[in-house]
Amino acid sequence: MFSQTAIAPAARTALIPIAAITCTKGRLTELSFFASYPGLLGTAFSYGKDEEIYGDGEPAAYVYEVMSGAVRTCKLLDDGRRQIGAFHLPGDVFGLESGPNHRLTADAVIDTTVRIVRRRSLEAATQNNIQVANALWALTARDLRHAEDHMLLLGRKTASERVATFLLEMDRRLTVAGMIELPMCRRDIGDYLGLTLETISRVLSQFQSEGMLGLSGARHIMLRNRQRLRGMNI
């Protein structure tokens, strides 16, 4: 049984059988890490928009995989500001920790379903299956690369370069039929890029006026000049 402190109260009432989860093109649960290995199927829970999945400092007893929706991991600073470290999309594994506790808070960007696997079960699988160990190493290396890239983005890039980098990342991860459908709002994007909401809106409008992208509402974006955006992603 899952501990009462590890799962948010609302999520405990939203247990969903794994077999009932389906996927659509662009939201690829068929890329599931856990489903590839017997014994790591775990249990699926649903979380509502902005609902906390786990908190900063809580015991890291479970590892999570996004099945549908999106998750943000973030740190709340003492002055009330929020820094988002990563957005986790369908197929992404998150909650891997080197220590006993979580260092960030994770919550659902939109209505989200995650697969939850006991950390000790994953650790046991790595000892008994070299494929699991290698796959987990690859996931850890990917997360480290992302953290290094994000540190560079926050420390050295201009506002326009940060937004261009973000758009190219989402283009790679989310584009379906030529259109990026963002699950996150502009405030989330700003907290991820270390920019104000006003700056995000200004840069997107500038990119649109310069013909680099087309906007359809607040969260639907079509990239029209990837080469120019890549030139800014230095």
Side-chain angles (χ1 to χ4, degrees), residues 32 37-38 53 58 61 64 73 80 84 104 146 150 196 211 224 228 230:
S32 169
Y37 304 102
I53 298 171
E58 290 184 357
Y64 306 78
T73 47
I84 294 176
L104 301 172
H146 181 274
H150 198 229
T196 65
R224 292 175 173 163
R228 187 172 175 188
R230 292 189 187 104

Side-chain angles (χ1 to χ4, degrees), residues 30-212:
E30 64 263 34
L31 298 179
S32 169
F33 172 81
F34 294 134
S36 301
Y37 304 102
L40 293 179
L41 287 179
T43 306
F45 283 87
S46 286
Y47 296 85
K49 182 178 182 293
D50 295 327
E51 188 174 355
E52 184 177 286
I53 298 171
Y54 58 76
D56 183 3
E58 290 184 357
Y62 302 95
V63 181
Y64 306 78
E65 181 180 44
V66 182
M67 302 179 71
S68 65
V71 172
R72 58 184 168 243
T73 47
C74 59
K75 175 73 84 171
L76 294 177
L77 306 181
D78 292 339
D79 60 5
R81 288 178 297 165
R82 178 183 68 166
Q83 178 63 58
I84 294 176
F87 292 110
H88 304 281
L89 304 174
D92 289 349
V93 173
F94 66 100
L96 292 167
E97 300 287 354
S98 58
N101 299 319
H102 289 295
R103 297 169 297 120
L104 301 172
T105 294
D107 47 33
V109 177
I110 55 177
D111 290 348
T112 296
T113 299
V114 299
R115 189 193 313 270
I116 302 176
V117 171
R118 290 183 181 275
R119 177 176 175 176
R120 66 188 183 191
S121 298
L122 180 58
E123 291 172 346
T126 62
Q127 296 176 6
N128 299 323
N129 189 323
I130 188 62
Q131 290 181 317
V132 176
N134 289 339
L136 188 61
W137 171 256
L139 287 174
T140 304
R142 182 201 63 187
D143 289 346
L144 179 58
R145 286 195 302 271
H146 181 274
E148 291 172 341
D149 289 343
H150 198 229
M151 180 176 63
L152 174 63
L153 176 148
L154 294 175
R156 303 301 298 176
K157 292 190 176 184
T158 67
S160 294
E161 290 167 348
R162 295 182 198 188
V163 174
T165 300
F166 171 78
L167 290 173
L168 290 170
E169 177 187 353
M170 293 300 110
D171 182 47
R172 184 180 72 253
R173 301 175 68 190
L174 282 174
T175 293
V176 178
M179 180 73 72
I180 305 173
E181 182 180 350
L182 295 175
M184 66 287 293
C185 64
R186 292 188 180 182
R187 178 175 175 268
D188 285 339
I189 298 171
D191 288 349
Y192 178 62
L193 298 178
L195 300 172
T196 65
L197 175 62
E198 293 76 17
T199 299
I200 295 295
S201 297
R202 175 180 57 79
V203 173
L204 288 175
S205 296
Q206 176 188 339
F207 286 178
Q208 182 181 29
S209 66
E210 294 177 358
M212 287 189 281

